[in-house]
């Protein structure tokens, strides 16, 4: 169990800190790939992803014994931001230049024959 006073908590905080740059880089990369096809969705996805990453850090680094209210607000905000983030991420898959509709693939396949 990882708690406020458990010795493994420092390792958990370190691992979360190491993942933060890669998460932010992933948000930036997804923004670049999506910005031409759906610029508004790309900005919203980047903004929500950025906030979600920061709120994750907020509830990990501020323990409930340090400041209970901040810890709870950050955790609730992280959970509330997860739903719009996942919905935008799933909806943006069809706008990405790397995903294709199966109907379009079959039309293109028949066109080359």
């Amino acid at each position: 169990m990882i708690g406020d006073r458990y010795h493994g908590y420092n390792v958990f905080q370190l691992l979360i800190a190491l993942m933060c740059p890669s998460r932010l880089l992933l948000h930036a990369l997804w923004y670049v790939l999506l910005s031409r096809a759906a610029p508004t969705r790309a900005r919203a996805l980047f903004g929500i992803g950025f906030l979600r990453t920061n709120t994750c850090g907020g509830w990990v680094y501020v323990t409930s014994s340090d400041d209970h209210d901040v810890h709870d607000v950050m955790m609730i905000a992280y959970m509330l931001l997860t739903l719009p983030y996942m919905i935008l991420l799933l909806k943006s898959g069809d706008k990405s230049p790397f995903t294709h509709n199966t109907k379009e693939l079959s039309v293109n396949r028949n066109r080359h024959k």
Side-chain angles (χ1 to χ4, degrees):
M1 178 177 162
I2 296 177
D4 292 339
R5 293 177 183 84
Y6 187 69
H7 59 76
Y9 195 70
N10 293 332
V11 174
F12 183 66
Q13 286 180 329
L14 180 63
L15 291 174
I16 292 290
L18 290 174
M19 291 295 111
C20 184
S22 60
R23 286 180 74 169
L24 293 175
L25 185 62
L26 184 64
H27 296 314
L29 178 65
W30 194 249
Y31 173 79
V32 168
L33 292 175
L34 190 62
S35 62
R36 283 190 177 168
T40 304
R41 190 176 293 171
R43 282 191 299 274
L45 189 62
F46 179 79
I48 292 172
F50 184 80
L51 284 173
R52 199 169 159 262
T53 300
N54 285 319
T55 56
C56 177
W59 67 265
V60 169
Y61 299 122
V62 179
T63 63
S64 59
S65 62
D66 293 337
D67 191 339
H68 186 72
D69 293 336
V70 171
H71 177 81
D72 285 350
V73 166
M74 291 294 183
M75 185 179 283
I76 291 168
Y78 179 80
M79 289 188 288
L80 290 175
L81 288 169
T82 298
L83 184 62
Y85 178 75
M86 292 298 167
I87 290 171
L88 281 171
L89 193 62
L90 290 172
K91 285 189 173 190
S92 64
D94 62 339
K95 300 291 184 186
S96 173
F98 298 105
T99 59
H100 298 284
N101 189 332
T102 56
K103 185 187 280 187
E104 291 175 7
L105 288 174
S106 65
V107 168
N108 288 336
R109 193 175 301 138
N110 293 335
R111 194 178 296 163
H112 292 291
K113 288 183 178 182

